Amino acid sequence: MLRDPVSRYLSEWKHVQRGATWKTALHMCDGRSPTQDELPNCYIGDDWSGVTLTEFMNCPSNLANNRQVRMLADLSLVGCYNLSSMNESQRNHILLSSAMSNLKNMAFYGLTEFQRKTQYMFERTFSLRFIAAFTQINSTRAANVDLSEPVRRRIEELNYLDVQLYEYAKDLFLQRFQFTRQKEHQEVRLKRREEKRWLKEQKEQGRPWPPKHKGGGNAGGRRGGGSEKGTEGEFPTTTEDYTSQVARW
């Protein structure tokens, strides 16, 4: 699951502000954890409780920066956490390319801002159905942060690799969604043509038509648990325009 970089960054800041830490994370790469010089702490003490957004942004070794790219990329390609292995521009290019490639090769991924489409893509990809519809919750802690335009731009600068990754991920996700919907519609049309052909053959051979199921059930497989045209209508309507919230920030 990927999330809009600004809202994800603010969410992590709020999480850290409440006392969350990643002390048990080993950050293993190429068989070892980073040294203190390679990954210095952003705070002294047990945690970073009460950290202001400015303090959070000012720590150069803050792993919240571009976290999504780093989590998806192969860090061994850039010497793991050793920043002296190559220049920053080359390192960033390799990381972003690696993250995009790994994401593209995944059978499935979702976007926090598109919960219903994410559910649909998961169900179609793995031929599984959730017993309840995904819900879109827009009133998050990140959404309630009042950001000035300069601060928002600063967060985007700190996460500019994540910004590029997210734009790529969103475009690819919506392409996959559109392709899957078109494929579903084609399957429905083909199924209906087969049903009509079968009924015509039965009529020509003088055979009685199969009895209709009462109550609008799974007659001929045209309604029910399959992936049909009415899939979206089976669930209550939810909001998916989360990106409008992000733009307003």
Side-chain angles (χ1 to χ4, degrees), residues 133-152:
F134 286 17
T135 56
Q136 189 75 51
I137 302 175
N138 295 339
S139 297
T140 63
R141 289 186 175 90
N144 293 327
V145 177
D146 188 16
L147 287 183
S148 66
E149 187 62 22
V151 172
R152 186 185 64 81

Side-chain angles (χ1 to χ4, degrees), residues 93-142:
H93 174 74
I94 294 175
L95 284 175
L96 182 59
S97 297
S98 176
M100 287 180 173
S101 177
N102 289 336
L103 185 71
K104 184 178 180 179
N105 289 329
M106 289 182 178
F108 164 84
Y109 68 89
L111 301 178
T112 300
E113 290 74 23
F114 296 93
Q115 290 290 324
R116 289 298 303 280
K117 288 182 174 65
T118 294
Q119 176 180 359
Y120 172 80
M121 290 298 295
F122 184 96
E123 292 176 338
R124 288 286 297 182
T125 301
F126 301 111
S127 299
L128 296 170
R129 293 294 297 271
F130 289 94
I131 62 174
F134 286 17
T135 56
Q136 189 75 51
I137 302 175
N138 295 339
S139 297
T140 63
R141 289 186 175 90

Side-chain angles (χ1 to χ4, degrees), residues 9-92:
Y9 188 83
L10 291 172
S11 179
E12 182 166 349
W13 163 57
K14 284 290 188 179
H15 194 48
V16 171
Q17 193 179 55
R18 296 192 302 272
T21 66
W22 283 263
K23 289 182 178 180
T24 58
L26 298 178
H27 304 296
M28 292 291 291
C29 180
D30 277 351
R32 71 174 184 89
S33 296
T35 65
Q36 182 65 31
D37 290 335
E38 291 174 335
L39 189 60
N41 293 327
C42 286
Y43 58 90
I44 300 174
D46 294 333
D47 55 46
W48 212 3
S49 297
V51 59
T52 66
L53 181 56
T54 299
E55 292 170 338
F56 193 74
M57 292 189 296
N58 286 342
C59 177
S61 60
N62 191 347
L63 292 182
N65 300 341
N66 296 308
R67 183 178 289 279
Q68 295 180 106
V69 164
R70 192 177 61 259
M71 296 293 284
L72 280 169
D74 181 359
L75 295 183
S76 64
L77 297 175
V78 295
C80 299
Y81 293 90
N82 182 8
L83 302 182
S84 63
S85 61
M86 61 184 66
N87 64 61
E88 183 179 3
S89 177
Q90 183 181 8
R91 177 185 176 87
N92 289 340

